[in-house]
Amino acid sequence: MDVRTNTSSILFRGATGIAAAENVLSTLVSLKNRTSFLAFSRPCCCKQATTAVATTSSTWCLLQLADCRRTRGVRGLTSAQREQQGGTMVRFEAQSKDFVGRSAKCASEEEEDLETRMKMEENAASTTEAITSASSSSLIMQETLERIRTAGIIACLRSESPEQAVDAGRAALDGGINVLEVTMTTPGASKVIMKLVHEYSSALIGAGTVLTLQEAGIAKEAGARFLLSPVAIQETVTAHSNGHVLFIPGAMTPSEVLSAFNWGAAAVKIYPVCLLGGVQFVRALKKPFPHIPLIASSGIGLDMVESYISAGATAVVLSDSIFMKSAMDKHDYHQIRQQATIAASKCAVAATKVALAGKQGS
């Protein structure tokens, strides 16, 4: 006998004969916690059949019992009894169809309810996963930004060849630079990033001059932990607002700064700051936007680092002050390393002073 179940009903198939029906009834009575039960038998050798309805205290069932002359309880029936039995069968046949219809409807509704509940659970799980992922991404980006704030400096490396870029990058990192960007204008920039990420796993290596989503994807595949751009394009900013990689767009005006922040940027690069008013411009921007981290970039010398950070800049981008043209042309990586040491020290000291002043002020 085949027994199939779902959350609220049991279906018995192949229960043939009165003895089998009695077993079905016994099983039904023992399962009072179920809502409803349907049981029927497969017809056997005889054409006649009787139908009976059995009810327990908490369940109902329909039993269609095979009736043949070899079945107990059928032998010895008179013609009148058989006619009466036939009439009983006719009377219950309509009830049988009605019960089967109602049972099928209930089973269909139960399947729909189950499917609906499963979809709701899947949606809830997806929502929870999305929230968790977004929260995790936000934490990672905040950690990256905090590392930049602590260092106070992003060393910007651009070169004419990938080999020179790797050697210059090594010199800067060995000199004490903890945050380094390789511009995407450098030939083989992705390979340079990949190599430096592999060799200096504790450093924060990123990509600069990222202009498109395609370039952003290439840089991230290479292992870039942050991305810098001279422009603010809404599509690119929004695409990185909930990702694991910090994207810092560039802006010139107060409107551009606010727009980039509203699109989801965690920080904004002021570029080219030297042509916009320098330290005074950063100080002016921090008055209406004290909540927006600003990265000052372009034309900043080592002697101006402390002034920019004191004016409110989260960090400064230094390029020629570390990777001097004369040193790059001569492949003088020792000099680059010395400049990196000086720059890293100055920026760290300035960032520490500002942090202490902020704590005392609060």
Side-chain angles (χ1 to χ4, degrees):
M1 180 170 61
D2 179 26
V3 179
R4 301 187 182 183
T5 67
N6 58 33
T7 55
S8 60
S9 63
I10 293 181
L11 181 64
F12 294 81
R13 295 186 185 278
T16 304
I18 293 178
E22 290 175 348
N23 291 334
V24 170
L25 279 175
S26 176
T27 303
L28 293 175
V29 172
S30 66
L31 296 174
K32 292 182 179 181
N33 62 320
R34 298 288 180 171
T35 303
S36 61
F37 303 88
L38 174 64
F40 59 91
S41 69
R42 184 184 296 112
C44 65
C45 59
C46 129
K47 296 181 180 179
Q48 294 181 346
T50 60
T51 304
V53 177
T55 304
T56 66
S57 59
S58 63
T59 64
W60 64 268
C61 66
L62 174 65
L63 301 177
Q64 182 176 320
L65 308 178
D67 177 20
C68 68
R69 295 185 182 281
R70 294 192 301 273
T71 304
R72 177 168 53 88
V74 178
R75 292 193 186 92
L77 290 178
T78 64
S79 297
Q81 288 174 327
R82 289 179 180 176
E83 288 178 4
Q84 182 179 6
Q85 186 183 64
T88 301
M89 181 193 72
V90 172
R91 287 196 303 274
F92 282 123
E93 186 174 325
Q95 296 179 12
S96 170
K97 292 180 179 180
D98 180 56
F99 282 136
V100 170
R102 279 189 287 168
S103 176
K105 182 180 179 181
C106 289
S108 176
E109 290 175 351
E110 288 168 359
E111 288 179 2
E112 291 178 0
D113 290 344
L114 179 60
E115 184 177 353
T116 301
R117 286 197 300 271
M118 290 177 66
K119 287 182 178 179
M120 290 177 64
E121 290 174 359
E122 288 176 0
N123 291 337
S126 297
T127 302
T128 301
E129 184 178 351
I131 293 173
T132 302
S133 177
S135 177
S136 175
S137 299
S138 178
L139 286 174
I140 292 173
M141 287 195 296
Q142 288 301 321
E143 288 176 3
T144 302
L145 183 58
E146 186 57 33
R147 287 188 63 177
I148 293 174
R149 187 195 307 275
T150 301
I153 178 177
I154 300 175
C156 176
L157 169 61
R158 59 173 57 86
S159 176
E160 296 178 355
S161 72
E163 295 79 15
Q164 184 188 54
V166 170
D167 290 336
R170 286 170 177 162
L173 292 165
D174 289 340
I177 292 296
N178 292 317
V179 185
L180 173 71
E181 67 161 295
V182 179
T183 65
M184 294 300 287
T185 55
T186 298
S190 61
K191 293 182 179 179
V192 175
I193 292 171
M194 189 180 300
K195 192 168 188 62
L196 293 177
V197 166
H198 176 71
E199 294 181 6
Y200 297 86
S201 58
S202 62
L204 202 60
I205 311 294
T209 320
V210 177
L211 303 179
T212 65
L213 277 173
Q214 182 180 7
E215 287 184 340
I218 292 172
K220 287 186 289 186
E221 277 189 27
R225 300 278 298 280
F226 65 92
L227 307 173
L228 281 166
S229 178
V231 296
I233 299 175
Q234 183 174 1
E235 180 186 24
T236 310
V237 175
T238 303
H240 292 86
S241 60
N242 292 319
H244 290 79
V245 176
L246 176 67
F247 182 81
I248 304 175
M252 291 179 61
T253 67
S255 295
E256 290 176 347
V257 170
L258 184 60
S259 294
F261 183 75
N262 289 337
W263 294 335
V268 179
K269 182 175 80 169
I270 307 304
Y271 177 87
V273 72
C274 62
L275 301 180
L276 298 172
V279 173
Q280 295 303 321
F281 186 66
V282 171
R283 183 175 285 112
L285 284 178
K286 288 302 291 185
K287 290 179 180 179
F289 308 129
H291 58 295
I292 303 179
L294 302 178
I295 311 294
S297 177
S298 180
I300 301 175
L302 290 177
D303 58 332
M304 304 167 65
V305 167
E306 187 171 347
S307 297
Y308 272 103
I309 293 179
S310 297
T314 296
V316 296
V317 177
L318 298 183
S319 181
D320 295 339
S321 297
I322 298 174
F323 305 101
M324 296 180 296
K325 187 177 185 306
S326 58
M328 293 290 283
D329 290 342
K330 296 177 181 179
H331 301 281
D332 189 350
Y333 302 118
H334 177 71
Q335 187 176 4
I336 292 174
R337 178 173 178 172
Q338 286 181 328
Q339 289 298 111
T341 301
I342 296 171
S345 177
K346 279 182 174 290
C347 291
V349 169
T352 301
K353 284 183 178 179
V354 171
L356 291 174
K359 288 182 180 179
Q360 291 174 356
S362 59

PDB file of all heavy atoms in Angstrom, residues 117-146:
ATOM      1  N   ARG A 117       4.611  30.344   0.932  1.00  0.00           N
ATOM      2  CA  ARG A 117       5.446  30.454   2.130  1.00  0.00           C
ATOM      3  C   ARG A 117       6.922  30.286   1.778  1.00  0.00           C
ATOM      4  O   ARG A 117       7.787  30.989   2.302  1.00  0.00           O
ATOM      5  CB  ARG A 117       5.037  29.398   3.157  1.00  0.00           C
ATOM      6  CG  ARG A 117       3.726  29.696   3.853  1.00  0.00           C
ATOM      7  CD  ARG A 117       3.575  28.860   5.117  1.00  0.00           C
ATOM      8  NE  ARG A 117       3.598  27.440   4.856  1.00  0.00           N
ATOM      9  CZ  ARG A 117       2.509  26.720   4.569  1.00  0.00           C
ATOM     10  NH1 ARG A 117       1.330  27.315   4.496  1.00  0.00           N
ATOM     11  NH2 ARG A 117       2.607  25.428   4.347  1.00  0.00           N
ATOM     12  N   MET A 118       7.209  29.339   0.866  1.00  0.00           N
ATOM     13  CA  MET A 118       8.598  29.115   0.467  1.00  0.00           C
ATOM     14  C   MET A 118       9.168  30.345  -0.234  1.00  0.00           C
ATOM     15  O   MET A 118      10.314  30.738   0.006  1.00  0.00           O
ATOM     16  CB  MET A 118       8.688  27.895  -0.449  1.00  0.00           C
ATOM     17  CG  MET A 118       8.438  26.579   0.266  1.00  0.00           C
ATOM     18  SD  MET A 118       8.470  25.169  -0.864  1.00  0.00           S
ATOM     19  CE  MET A 118      10.182  25.190  -1.373  1.00  0.00           C
ATOM     20  N   LYS A 119       8.346  30.976  -1.105  1.00  0.00           N
ATOM     21  CA  LYS A 119       8.806  32.186  -1.791  1.00  0.00           C
ATOM     22  C   LYS A 119       9.058  33.308  -0.805  1.00  0.00           C
ATOM     23  O   LYS A 119      10.030  34.055  -0.919  1.00  0.00           O
ATOM     24  CB  LYS A 119       7.778  32.619  -2.833  1.00  0.00           C
ATOM     25  CG  LYS A 119       7.728  31.730  -4.063  1.00  0.00           C
ATOM     26  CD  LYS A 119       6.722  32.249  -5.077  1.00  0.00           C
ATOM     27  CE  LYS A 119       6.724  31.379  -6.324  1.00  0.00           C
ATOM     28  NZ  LYS A 119       5.732  31.854  -7.324  1.00  0.00           N
ATOM     29  N   MET A 120       8.144  33.436   0.192  1.00  0.00           N
ATOM     30  CA  MET A 120       8.304  34.478   1.206  1.00  0.00           C
ATOM     31  C   MET A 120       9.579  34.255   2.014  1.00  0.00           C
ATOM     32  O   MET A 120      10.316  35.193   2.320  1.00  0.00           O
ATOM     33  CB  MET A 120       7.085  34.500   2.131  1.00  0.00           C
ATOM     34  CG  MET A 120       5.821  35.011   1.467  1.00  0.00           C
ATOM     35  SD  MET A 120       4.371  34.932   2.551  1.00  0.00           S
ATOM     36  CE  MET A 120       4.865  36.092   3.825  1.00  0.00           C
ATOM     37  N   GLU A 121       9.833  32.985   2.352  1.00  0.00           N
ATOM     38  CA  GLU A 121      11.043  32.670   3.107  1.00  0.00           C
ATOM     39  C   GLU A 121      12.293  32.950   2.270  1.00  0.00           C
ATOM     40  O   GLU A 121      13.285  33.454   2.777  1.00  0.00           O
ATOM     41  CB  GLU A 121      11.015  31.200   3.541  1.00  0.00           C
ATOM     42  CG  GLU A 121       9.969  30.907   4.608  1.00  0.00           C
ATOM     43  CD  GLU A 121       9.878  29.421   4.915  1.00  0.00           C
ATOM     44  OE1 GLU A 121      10.608  28.634   4.277  1.00  0.00           O
ATOM     45  OE2 GLU A 121       9.076  29.044   5.789  1.00  0.00           O
ATOM     46  N   GLU A 122      12.232  32.614   0.964  1.00  0.00           N
ATOM     47  CA  GLU A 122      13.369  32.878   0.079  1.00  0.00           C
ATOM     48  C   GLU A 122      13.627  34.378  -0.043  1.00  0.00           C
ATOM     49  O   GLU A 122      14.766  34.833  -0.007  1.00  0.00           O
ATOM     50  CB  GLU A 122      13.106  32.284  -1.304  1.00  0.00           C
ATOM     51  CG  GLU A 122      13.168  30.767  -1.339  1.00  0.00           C
ATOM     52  CD  GLU A 122      12.814  30.208  -2.709  1.00  0.00           C
ATOM     53  OE1 GLU A 122      12.518  31.027  -3.613  1.00  0.00           O
ATOM     54  OE2 GLU A 122      12.830  28.984  -2.876  1.00  0.00           O
ATOM     55  N   ASN A 123      12.527  35.150  -0.184  1.00  0.00           N
ATOM     56  CA  ASN A 123      12.670  36.603  -0.283  1.00  0.00           C
ATOM     57  C   ASN A 123      13.248  37.192   0.988  1.00  0.00           C
ATOM     58  O   ASN A 123      14.094  38.087   0.946  1.00  0.00           O
ATOM     59  CB  ASN A 123      11.312  37.245  -0.586  1.00  0.00           C
ATOM     60  CG  ASN A 123      10.805  36.923  -1.976  1.00  0.00           C
ATOM     61  OD1 ASN A 123      11.596  36.593  -2.856  1.00  0.00           O
ATOM     62  ND2 ASN A 123       9.504  37.013  -2.190  1.00  0.00           N
ATOM     63  N   ALA A 124      12.773  36.673   2.142  1.00  0.00           N
ATOM     64  CA  ALA A 124      13.279  37.164   3.416  1.00  0.00           C
ATOM     65  C   ALA A 124      14.762  36.844   3.562  1.00  0.00           C
ATOM     66  O   ALA A 124      15.550  37.669   4.029  1.00  0.00           O
ATOM     67  CB  ALA A 124      12.488  36.535   4.568  1.00  0.00           C
ATOM     68  N   ALA A 125      15.147  35.628   3.141  1.00  0.00           N
ATOM     69  CA  ALA A 125      16.554  35.231   3.223  1.00  0.00           C
ATOM     70  C   ALA A 125      17.414  36.097   2.307  1.00  0.00           C
ATOM     71  O   ALA A 125      18.504  36.516   2.681  1.00  0.00           O
ATOM     72  CB  ALA A 125      16.697  33.752   2.847  1.00  0.00           C
ATOM     73  N   SER A 126      16.888  36.380   1.094  1.00  0.00           N
ATOM     74  CA  SER A 126      17.634  37.216   0.156  1.00  0.00           C
ATOM     75  C   SER A 126      17.808  38.629   0.688  1.00  0.00           C
ATOM     76  O   SER A 126      18.874  39.226   0.572  1.00  0.00           O
ATOM     77  CB  SER A 126      16.901  37.263  -1.195  1.00  0.00           C
ATOM     78  OG  SER A 126      16.831  35.976  -1.772  1.00  0.00           O
ATOM     79  N   THR A 127      16.729  39.150   1.305  1.00  0.00           N
ATOM     80  CA  THR A 127      16.791  40.504   1.875  1.00  0.00           C
ATOM     81  C   THR A 127      17.804  40.562   2.998  1.00  0.00           C
ATOM     82  O   THR A 127      18.613  41.490   3.089  1.00  0.00           O
ATOM     83  CB  THR A 127      15.409  40.925   2.398  1.00  0.00           C
ATOM     84  OG1 THR A 127      14.463  40.878   1.327  1.00  0.00           O
ATOM     85  CG2 THR A 127      15.454  42.339   2.972  1.00  0.00           C
ATOM     86  N   THR A 128      17.769  39.556   3.875  1.00  0.00           N
ATOM     87  CA  THR A 128      18.713  39.513   4.992  1.00  0.00           C
ATOM     88  C   THR A 128      20.145  39.426   4.489  1.00  0.00           C
ATOM     89  O   THR A 128      21.044  40.097   4.991  1.00  0.00           O
ATOM     90  CB  THR A 128      18.423  38.291   5.887  1.00  0.00           C
ATOM     91  OG1 THR A 128      17.083  38.385   6.368  1.00  0.00           O
ATOM     92  CG2 THR A 128      19.387  38.251   7.072  1.00  0.00           C
ATOM     93  N   GLU A 129      20.343  38.588   3.463  1.00  0.00           N
ATOM     94  CA  GLU A 129      21.680  38.436   2.893  1.00  0.00           C
ATOM     95  C   GLU A 129      22.168  39.742   2.279  1.00  0.00           C
ATOM     96  O   GLU A 129      23.331  40.120   2.418  1.00  0.00           O
ATOM     97  CB  GLU A 129      21.665  37.343   1.826  1.00  0.00           C
ATOM     98  CG  GLU A 129      23.037  37.040   1.246  1.00  0.00           C
ATOM     99  CD  GLU A 129      22.999  35.926   0.219  1.00  0.00           C
ATOM    100  OE1 GLU A 129      21.941  35.292   0.084  1.00  0.00           O
ATOM    101  OE2 GLU A 129      24.026  35.685  -0.435  1.00  0.00           O
ATOM    102  N   ALA A 130      21.258  40.445   1.589  1.00  0.00           N
ATOM    103  CA  ALA A 130      21.623  41.718   0.961  1.00  0.00           C
ATOM    104  C   ALA A 130      21.999  42.760   2.001  1.00  0.00           C
ATOM    105  O   ALA A 130      22.973  43.503   1.845  1.00  0.00           O
ATOM    106  CB  ALA A 130      20.460  42.225   0.105  1.00  0.00           C
ATOM    107  N   ILE A 131      21.214  42.797   3.101  1.00  0.00           N
ATOM    108  CA  ILE A 131      21.503  43.758   4.168  1.00  0.00           C
ATOM    109  C   ILE A 131      22.839  43.448   4.818  1.00  0.00           C
ATOM    110  O   ILE A 131      23.650  44.338   5.076  1.00  0.00           O
ATOM    111  CB  ILE A 131      20.375  43.736   5.233  1.00  0.00           C
ATOM    112  CG1 ILE A 131      19.079  44.275   4.622  1.00  0.00           C
ATOM    113  CG2 ILE A 131      20.768  44.559   6.456  1.00  0.00           C
ATOM    114  CD1 ILE A 131      17.881  44.142   5.522  1.00  0.00           C
ATOM    115  N   THR A 132      23.071  42.159   5.057  1.00  0.00           N
ATOM    116  CA  THR A 132      24.340  41.755   5.663  1.00  0.00           C
ATOM    117  C   THR A 132      25.517  42.092   4.764  1.00  0.00           C
ATOM    118  O   THR A 132      26.545  42.589   5.214  1.00  0.00           O
ATOM    119  CB  THR A 132      24.336  40.239   5.939  1.00  0.00           C
ATOM    120  OG1 THR A 132      23.239  39.924   6.797  1.00  0.00           O
ATOM    121  CG2 THR A 132      25.634  39.812   6.608  1.00  0.00           C
ATOM    122  N   SER A 133      25.346  41.823   3.447  1.00  0.00           N
ATOM    123  CA  SER A 133      26.413  42.112   2.489  1.00  0.00           C
ATOM    124  C   SER A 133      26.696  43.610   2.414  1.00  0.00           C
ATOM    125  O   SER A 133      27.844  44.041   2.392  1.00  0.00           O
ATOM    126  CB  SER A 133      26.022  41.592   1.106  1.00  0.00           C
ATOM    127  OG  SER A 133      27.004  41.906   0.155  1.00  0.00           O
ATOM    128  N   ALA A 134      25.616  44.409   2.387  1.00  0.00           N
ATOM    129  CA  ALA A 134      25.784  45.864   2.315  1.00  0.00           C
ATOM    130  C   ALA A 134      26.481  46.391   3.565  1.00  0.00           C
ATOM    131  O   ALA A 134      27.358  47.255   3.494  1.00  0.00           O
ATOM    132  CB  ALA A 134      24.420  46.535   2.146  1.00  0.00           C
ATOM    133  N   SER A 135      26.085  45.837   4.709  1.00  0.00           N
ATOM    134  CA  SER A 135      26.710  46.262   5.968  1.00  0.00           C
ATOM    135  C   SER A 135      28.189  45.906   5.984  1.00  0.00           C
ATOM    136  O   SER A 135      29.042  46.700   6.392  1.00  0.00           O
ATOM    137  CB  SER A 135      25.993  45.592   7.147  1.00  0.00           C
ATOM    138  OG  SER A 135      26.616  45.922   8.366  1.00  0.00           O
ATOM    139  N   SER A 136      28.512  44.696   5.494  1.00  0.00           N
ATOM    140  CA  SER A 136      29.904  44.256   5.439  1.00  0.00           C
ATOM    141  C   SER A 136      30.717  45.134   4.501  1.00  0.00           C
ATOM    142  O   SER A 136      31.844  45.528   4.811  1.00  0.00           O
ATOM    143  CB  SER A 136      29.962  42.795   4.974  1.00  0.00           C
ATOM    144  OG  SER A 136      31.291  42.377   4.796  1.00  0.00           O
ATOM    145  N   SER A 137      30.130  45.463   3.332  1.00  0.00           N
ATOM    146  CA  SER A 137      30.813  46.313   2.352  1.00  0.00           C
ATOM    147  C   SER A 137      31.080  47.694   2.927  1.00  0.00           C
ATOM    148  O   SER A 137      32.153  48.271   2.744  1.00  0.00           O
ATOM    149  CB  SER A 137      29.974  46.432   1.081  1.00  0.00           C
ATOM    150  OG  SER A 137      29.788  45.174   0.486  1.00  0.00           O
ATOM    151  N   SER A 138      30.089  48.239   3.632  1.00  0.00           N
ATOM    152  CA  SER A 138      30.239  49.561   4.235  1.00  0.00           C
ATOM    153  C   SER A 138      31.378  49.578   5.249  1.00  0.00           C
ATOM    154  O   SER A 138      32.170  50.522   5.295  1.00  0.00           O
ATOM    155  CB  SER A 138      28.923  49.979   4.907  1.00  0.00           C
ATOM    156  OG  SER A 138      29.059  51.226   5.541  1.00  0.00           O
ATOM    157  N   LEU A 139      31.460  48.516   6.047  1.00  0.00           N
ATOM    158  CA  LEU A 139      32.532  48.429   7.041  1.00  0.00           C
ATOM    159  C   LEU A 139      33.908  48.377   6.375  1.00  0.00           C
ATOM    160  O   LEU A 139      34.858  49.021   6.832  1.00  0.00           O
ATOM    161  CB  LEU A 139      32.335  47.196   7.924  1.00  0.00           C
ATOM    162  CG  LEU A 139      31.205  47.278   8.958  1.00  0.00           C
ATOM    163  CD1 LEU A 139      31.038  45.936   9.656  1.00  0.00           C
ATOM    164  CD2 LEU A 139      31.496  48.366   9.987  1.00  0.00           C
ATOM    165  N   ILE A 140      34.007  47.606   5.295  1.00  0.00           N
ATOM    166  CA  ILE A 140      35.287  47.480   4.577  1.00  0.00           C
ATOM    167  C   ILE A 140      35.708  48.830   4.010  1.00  0.00           C
ATOM    168  O   ILE A 140      36.877  49.236   4.117  1.00  0.00           O
ATOM    169  CB  ILE A 140      35.177  46.437   3.456  1.00  0.00           C
ATOM    170  CG1 ILE A 140      35.010  45.032   4.059  1.00  0.00           C
ATOM    171  CG2 ILE A 140      36.414  46.476   2.557  1.00  0.00           C
ATOM    172  CD1 ILE A 140      34.727  43.957   3.044  1.00  0.00           C
ATOM    173  N   MET A 141      34.753  49.557   3.392  1.00  0.00           N
ATOM    174  CA  MET A 141      35.087  50.863   2.831  1.00  0.00           C
ATOM    175  C   MET A 141      35.478  51.857   3.925  1.00  0.00           C
ATOM    176  O   MET A 141      36.406  52.653   3.741  1.00  0.00           O
ATOM    177  CB  MET A 141      33.908  51.404   2.022  1.00  0.00           C
ATOM    178  CG  MET A 141      33.699  50.683   0.698  1.00  0.00           C
ATOM    179  SD  MET A 141      32.615  51.584  -0.437  1.00  0.00           S
ATOM    180  CE  MET A 141      31.073  51.563   0.461  1.00  0.00           C
ATOM    181  N   GLN A 142      34.787  51.803   5.058  1.00  0.00           N
ATOM    182  CA  GLN A 142      35.126  52.702   6.167  1.00  0.00           C
ATOM    183  C   GLN A 142      36.515  52.385   6.729  1.00  0.00           C
ATOM    184  O   GLN A 142      37.264  53.293   7.103  1.00  0.00           O
ATOM    185  CB  GLN A 142      34.070  52.597   7.264  1.00  0.00           C
ATOM    186  CG  GLN A 142      32.728  53.220   6.909  1.00  0.00           C
ATOM    187  CD  GLN A 142      32.845  54.700   6.570  1.00  0.00           C
ATOM    188  OE1 GLN A 142      33.594  55.437   7.202  1.00  0.00           O
ATOM    189  NE2 GLN A 142      32.110  55.129   5.561  1.00  0.00           N
ATOM    190  N   GLU A 143      36.850  51.099   6.766  1.00  0.00           N
ATOM    191  CA  GLU A 143      38.186  50.701   7.230  1.00  0.00           C
ATOM    192  C   GLU A 143      39.258  51.218   6.269  1.00  0.00           C
ATOM    193  O   GLU A 143      40.314  51.698   6.696  1.00  0.00           O
ATOM    194  CB  GLU A 143      38.268  49.173   7.340  1.00  0.00           C
ATOM    195  CG  GLU A 143      37.487  48.596   8.513  1.00  0.00           C
ATOM    196  CD  GLU A 143      37.512  47.082   8.511  1.00  0.00           C
ATOM    197  OE1 GLU A 143      38.182  46.494   7.629  1.00  0.00           O
ATOM    198  OE2 GLU A 143      36.869  46.479   9.396  1.00  0.00           O
ATOM    199  N   THR A 144      38.983  51.128   4.975  1.00  0.00           N
ATOM    200  CA  THR A 144      39.925  51.639   3.972  1.00  0.00           C
ATOM    201  C   THR A 144      40.103  53.147   4.121  1.00  0.00           C
ATOM    202  O   THR A 144      41.233  53.658   4.113  1.00  0.00           O
ATOM    203  CB  THR A 144      39.431  51.324   2.547  1.00  0.00           C
ATOM    204  OG1 THR A 144      39.275  49.907   2.400  1.00  0.00           O
ATOM    205  CG2 THR A 144      40.414  51.826   1.502  1.00  0.00           C
ATOM    206  N   LEU A 145      38.999  53.849   4.278  1.00  0.00           N
ATOM    207  CA  LEU A 145      39.061  55.308   4.435  1.00  0.00           C
ATOM    208  C   LEU A 145      39.797  55.682   5.715  1.00  0.00           C
ATOM    209  O   LEU A 145      40.560  56.664   5.739  1.00  0.00           O
ATOM    210  CB  LEU A 145      37.646  55.890   4.443  1.00  0.00           C
ATOM    211  CG  LEU A 145      37.538  57.414   4.526  1.00  0.00           C
ATOM    212  CD1 LEU A 145      38.286  58.066   3.365  1.00  0.00           C
ATOM    213  CD2 LEU A 145      36.069  57.840   4.529  1.00  0.00           C
ATOM    214  N   GLU A 146      39.599  54.911   6.771  1.00  0.00           N
ATOM    215  CA  GLU A 146      40.276  55.195   8.036  1.00  0.00           C
ATOM    216  C   GLU A 146      41.788  54.990   7.906  1.00  0.00           C
ATOM    217  O   GLU A 146      42.585  55.740   8.491  1.00  0.00           O
ATOM    218  CB  GLU A 146      39.707  54.305   9.146  1.00  0.00           C
ATOM    219  CG  GLU A 146      40.239  54.607  10.538  1.00  0.00           C
ATOM    220  CD  GLU A 146      40.006  56.048  10.961  1.00  0.00           C
ATOM    221  OE1 GLU A 146      38.988  56.646  10.566  1.00  0.00           O
ATOM    222  OE2 GLU A 146      40.879  56.588  11.692  1.00  0.00           O
TER     223      GLU A 146
END
